[in-house]
């Protein structure tokens, strides 16, 4: 999983694959309606769908700049 | 309980696991409280970890081992951490699962074990360079479903 590959590169990154049906309350909080849906820093960033490496990197940079 | 992984799937995984380099510890976190998928998840990781001598499994209770759960950022059950192991030293790479990695997610889980064992993310040099320079915490949560 791409998020897990990212986590391998930095001790600052924690990446959790969350089973959306088992944890539906959390999925609802982030308005998850399709999968995969990636949430960065508790909602500062959001990515819907399977995205390439550069998109995830850009969303992390955007979330950190906020 | 019946076997979750049939002989054919076990054979395919063993073939993939032939390339594993370094030891990986799968940490399982369960609970004695209501947990629909804890038993299945535990059985699944027991079956997977038995397929390579590079893999070890540790079983934790999120309440009884609250300190360990906190240390590895586990707050849901079933919870899994894929960590590097060198002798007695466990290295946390921040790779976690909340919920059972079954169906479509099962192949991600197997691939993650290979990546962690190889200690290589496979990312481009540009991405690696940026990530190595991170000074602020980044928490990624990827919502997935088995189908």
């Amino acid at each position: 999983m791409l998020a897990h590959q990212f986590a391998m590169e930095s001790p600052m990154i924690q990446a959790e694959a969350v089973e959306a049906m088992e944890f539906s309350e959390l999925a609802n909080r982030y308005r998850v309606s399709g999968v995969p849906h990636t949430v960065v820093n508790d909602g500062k960033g959001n990515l819907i769908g399977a995205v390439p490496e550069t998109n995830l990197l850009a969303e992390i940079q955007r979330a950190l700049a906020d | 309980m019946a076997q979750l992984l049939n002989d054919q799937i076990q054979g395919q995984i063993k073939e993939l696991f032939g390339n594993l380099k370094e030891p990986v510890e799968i940490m399982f976190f369960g609970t004695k409280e209501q947990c629909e998928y804890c038993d299945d998840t535990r059985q699944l990781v027991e079956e997977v970890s038995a397929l390579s001598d590079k893999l070890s499994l540790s079983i934790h209770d999120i309440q009884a081992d609250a300190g360990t759960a906190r240390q590895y950022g586990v707050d849901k059950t079933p919870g899994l951490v894929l960590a590097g192991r060198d002798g007695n030293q466990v290295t946390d790479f921040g790779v976690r699962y909340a919920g059972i990695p079954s169906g479509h997610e099962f192949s991600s889980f197997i691939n993650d074990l290979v990546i962690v064992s190889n200690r290589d993310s496979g990312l481009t040099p540009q991405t690696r360079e940026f990530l190595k320079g991170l000074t602020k915490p980044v928490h990624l949560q990827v919502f997935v479903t088995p189908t």
Side-chain angles (χ1 to χ4, degrees), chain A residues 1 4 8 10 12-14 16 20 23-24 29 31 33 38 44-45 47 52 57 59-60 63 66:
Chain A
M1 169 174 289
H4 286 151
M8 290 289 296
S10 167
M12 301 305 286
I13 305 181
Q14 290 200 14
E16 181 183 40
F23 303 99
S24 54
R29 191 192 306 165
R31 302 179 196 286
S33 57
T38 305
K44 283 217 171 90
L47 281 169
L57 185 64
E59 192 64 9
I60 289 171
D66 272 355

Side-chain angles (χ1 to χ4, degrees), chain A residues 13-34:
Chain A
I13 305 181
Q14 290 200 14
E16 181 183 40
V18 183
E19 212 289 295
M21 291 192 285
E22 281 175 64
F23 303 99
S24 54
E25 213 169 287
L26 189 62
N28 289 338
R29 191 192 306 165
Y30 294 119
R31 302 179 196 286
V32 173
S33 57

Side-chain angles (χ1 to χ4, degrees), chain B residues 91-107:
Chain B
T91 307
D92 183 17
F93 294 114
V95 176
R96 336 214 177 290
Y97 280 78
I100 188 164
S102 68
H104 181 69
E105 284 317 299
F106 184 65
S107 55

Side-chain angles (χ1 to χ4, degrees), chain B residues 28-32 35 38 59-63 76-79:
Chain B
F28 167 87
F29 290 82
T31 177
K32 289 184 186 68
C35 178
C38 279
I59 304 290
H60 305 268
D61 180 286
I62 199 166
Q63 280 91 22
K76 301 176 194 69
T77 53

Side-chain angles (χ1 to χ4, degrees), chain B residues 64-126:
Chain B
D65 297 334
T68 311
R70 208 166 26 246
Q71 184 188 339
Y72 289 93
V74 175
D75 58 4
K76 301 176 194 69
T77 53
L80 298 172
V81 175
L82 307 188
R85 190 166 46 74
D86 300 284
N88 291 328
Q89 177 98 14
V90 175
T91 307
D92 183 17
F93 294 114
V95 176
R96 336 214 177 290
Y97 280 78
I100 188 164
S102 68
H104 181 69
E105 284 317 299
F106 184 65
S107 55
S108 297
F109 177 69
I110 298 297
N111 276 327
D112 276 354
L113 285 169
V114 174
I115 288 167
V116 172
S117 176
N118 291 347
R119 310 286 195 262
D120 183 358
S121 71
L123 298 171
T124 64
Q126 293 89 329

